[in-house]
Structure formats: C-alpha cells, structure tokens
Amino acid sequence: MTLGSLIDKTIAILRRDLLIAVRYRSGFVITAAGSLAQLAAFYYLARAVGPSFRPDGLDYFPFVLVGTGLFSFLISGMNSFVQIVQEAQQAGTLEILMSTSTPGPVLLFLSALSALTGHTLRLLFYLGAGLFLFGVSARTLNIASCLTILGLSIMSAMSIGIVAAAVQLAIHKGSAVLWLFSSASWLTTGALFPLTALPGPVRAVAQWIPLTHSLQGMRSALLQGARLPSLLPEISVLALFSLVLLPSSLWLFSWTLRRARLQGTLSYY
Amino acid sequence: MEGIILESVSKTFRHRPALFNWLGREQRGETRALTSVSLTVSAGTVLVLLGPNGSGKTTLLKLVSTMLLPDHGWISVNGADTRKQAGKVRQNVGFAVVTERSFFPRLTARENLEFFAALDDVARKCRKQQVETILQQVGLSHAADRLVMKFSSGMWQRLGIARALLKNPSVILLDEPTRSLDPGSATQFFDLVRTLAAQGAAVILATHSFQEALAVGDFVAVLDHGRLSAFRSLSALQQEEKLRSFYFESTGDFEESAQLVSRGA
C-alpha cells in the first residue's frame, strides 16, 4: 500500500466518523457537560481534602486533573479499538469491511486513529477547562516532554486496545476484558491518589502497567516542567512497552482475524 | 487463468456450546456447509447457483470473496489463491451480500459508496464520477443524498449491488440480488448483469428464482446439503418448466414436487 493510498483511506475514515458524529449532535453537548461536571466534582473533592495533602509534592486538584484526564483518555483510546470491532459486528459491516482491499489490521488502526483524534480534543477540553476555569497554573509546562510522554502513552494504549479488539473478535467479550483492566488500573496506576498509598506488592504490579508511567511522566512534564533527560526512566519503560506490545498485538489481531475467517465467526456478535 | 476455480472445496462450521450450557439447550455439533465442491466459472460467463435453504450457496460465495477460508481444497480467483493471496483476490471481487445491515445508516448513499470506494482503492480523481455512474446504473440517483437508514428494502438491495460494482471488479458475486426488487428494477438488473458478463466479468449469482436464473445465467449449478448435485448449461434448459424439473431431480425432491402438482398445490 502506498503512502498516498494510506492518506486517502485515513481521510475517508475521518470524514465518515466526523459525519456520523455531527449527525448525533447531542453527543457533543452531553460529553462537554459530563466533563465539566466531573471537573467540578474533583475540584470540590480537592477542597474537601484540604491543602495539606500534597501527593508527589503537588496540589491535589492538578494531581487528580492530570491523572483522571490522561487515564480517561488512554482507556477511551483502548476502548475505541474494541468499539470499532463491536459496532461493526453489530451493524453487520465487519465482514464487508474486512473484505475490502484494505487489510484488516490497517483498517482497525486507521479507524482507531480517527477515534483517538476525537478523544484528544476531549482531553484538551478537559485539561484546558481544568487549568483555566479552576485556576490551575501550567507556567512550568514542558511541551517537548508532554508530547513525548503523550506519544509513547498513545502507542502503548493502542497495543492494549488492539489486544482487546482481538479478544472481541475471538470471543466477543473484548469490552468486558477492557473493563476488568481499566477497573484494576484505576486502583493501581495512581490516577486518583499517589502510589505510595498502596501496599508494596500492588506497587510492584503497578510498574508492569504502562499507564502508571504515563501518569507519572505527564504530571512531571505538565505540572513540574520536567525536561526530557529527567524523564528518561518513564520514557524508556513506555518505549519498551510499545516496542514489544505493538507488533505482538498486530500479529495477534491478524491471527484472530484469520481464525475467525476459518471458523466462520466473523459475522457473530 | 481468468475466472474462478473451486477444487475439492469443503467447509464445516463447528458449534461449541457456551461455558455454562446447563442453563440452556445449545448443542455441540457441526454443520458441513460444503463437501468437496469443484467447479469453474470462466471470464465472461454467469453461473447461477440454485439450492434449498442451507445448501451452501452463501458459504460458497463467502469463500470466493475471502470472507471465509476453506477447510480443505483451494479456490483461485484470476489465478490468485484465496488463502495465500487474499489481498489480490479482494482487489478483483465485488460481492453484493444479502443482508441489509452492511452500511452506515447515518451516512447518505453517496457518502457510503465514497467511503467504500476509498477502502477499495478506487482512484480519488475518478471516484465521484464512478459513484455517480453506479448510482445511475442501479437507479438510486434520486436518493443519492438521503440517509440510508431511511431506505426501503429494495433500495438497500440496490445500494448493495452498487457497492459490489464500484471498483469495476472482474469477479462479481451476487447473493439473491433481486429478492426485494420490484419486477421492473429486476429486469433492469438482469440487463446490467448480462452487460457486465459481456464486458468480461465472471459472475456467480445465488438465487431461488428460476426466472432470474434463465434471464441471466449461462450455466446452472445445483447445491444440495453442501454437495454439488448437478451442473449444466442453461442453453439446454430454456424453459422455466424444464429448469424446475432439473432442479427437483437434482435435489431429490422430484417425487414430492410431482405429488404437490398432482394435488393441485
């Protein structure tokens, strides 16, 4: 497949998703209202906790703002892979989509990329609203560090999302597996509270979840202005996760797709 | 070779009960959808597949399209093996599926076709024109900018045919393409299929209609319980009555059919 053809397909998928999103007009308003309500809840939670609680040397509201914002973004990103397969199974488009000239893994990847664009806008809205409406200072923000952590976090989230999509294709329960993963990660990755509050064995498990390093890295880059060299541990771990997980997950998805074609379960849901 | 070749193709679907099956009555088992089917469809010809429900017609079409892979045997489309060169096969095959649930309901007919055209590598510069031409060919120009969720069954069906023809495929697979079409549209469709075959396409059309078979087919194959029970040129079966007899003889339902006729059913 040429680069031109890849760009052409990406534009077609983005256009499709944008047109469908526009035709569900209420979706935008509901999402924005939900984000604002969530922000307000965390703001008043932080006030109730009081200024003496400073996890990792940060005020609690910015800590939880970045933690929940990035956590939701990455989990939603993973979920988009499952949703793409699930919706296509339910709408009956999966067999047809997987029989076009575009290879299945490429189609999944591009569709998820389109969904991630939407989630990125939502993340920017969430963080922007948190920073400006609730008066959080981001003067120390280090853009290069933020983008590096974000890029690597997206890659590792994509890998997990592709694995969940493969599970959806194989046993039609990808969303349940992802729900289990996100529930466990909510507890262990330090989205709401610092890892030091957890028992030692749980902290050890947390180190094996890419999200833990994403949250730590992003807080340092966004709220403490950490430069790239000081983020080397987080960057190395996230890069390693991506390097191992991304090709493995794509292989797994291709294998599951072929298995579904052999078993005749591509249209099941 | 140009066209489609199936060589000793078999396909079995296995059913595994759910984990807590004691809650239900789902049974373990298998369905032999196709057993050692061999046939050839040359470029420029139309093969009509006839057979009772569950005889394996749709399975055969899905196998040629690479939606399914065979358990045994092999299938070649314009010389490309469906197992090893699936991507190449997909570039050549257009498949009009029987289901209505295969479009994006909140996109218009034109938007749906443009989307699928992009995925099927229809060149960007001629895509709009191609979509326009196809919409006209299937009689949907007047509804091109209507959301497809507002379409009738017949319109869905015509849109499915349009999608199958978008990339000018050299192999066309049609699964009961006129099931929901009115007689006028069906006749137009028959002409379209004949034109495509005359232009060199290899066509497989699955149907239950003898009239449709005679209108478009060059050859007829009868499938029964997944086996190819008969194959014949349609030039020898020019009348609907002859084709009907041939079909019931092939499926073993001839006596039953004769009894129904004698009882005036």
Side-chain angles (χ1 to χ4, degrees), chain A residues 8 23 90-91 102 262, chain B residues 11 101 111 119 124 127:
Chain A
D8 192 30
R23 282 165 192 160
Q90 287 169 355
T102 309
L262 263 171
Chain B
K11 185 74 203 169
R101 295 170 52 254
E111 288 161 357
L119 294 193
R124 194 176 172 79
R127 197 176 300 154

Side-chain angles (χ1 to χ4, degrees), chain A residues 18 21 56 83 146 148 157 170 185 198 203 216 220 256:
Chain A
L18 186 68
D56 298 341
Q83 270 182 338
C146 279
T148 308
S185 301
L198 293 167
R203 279 209 302 272
Q216 279 174 357
S220 304
T256 318

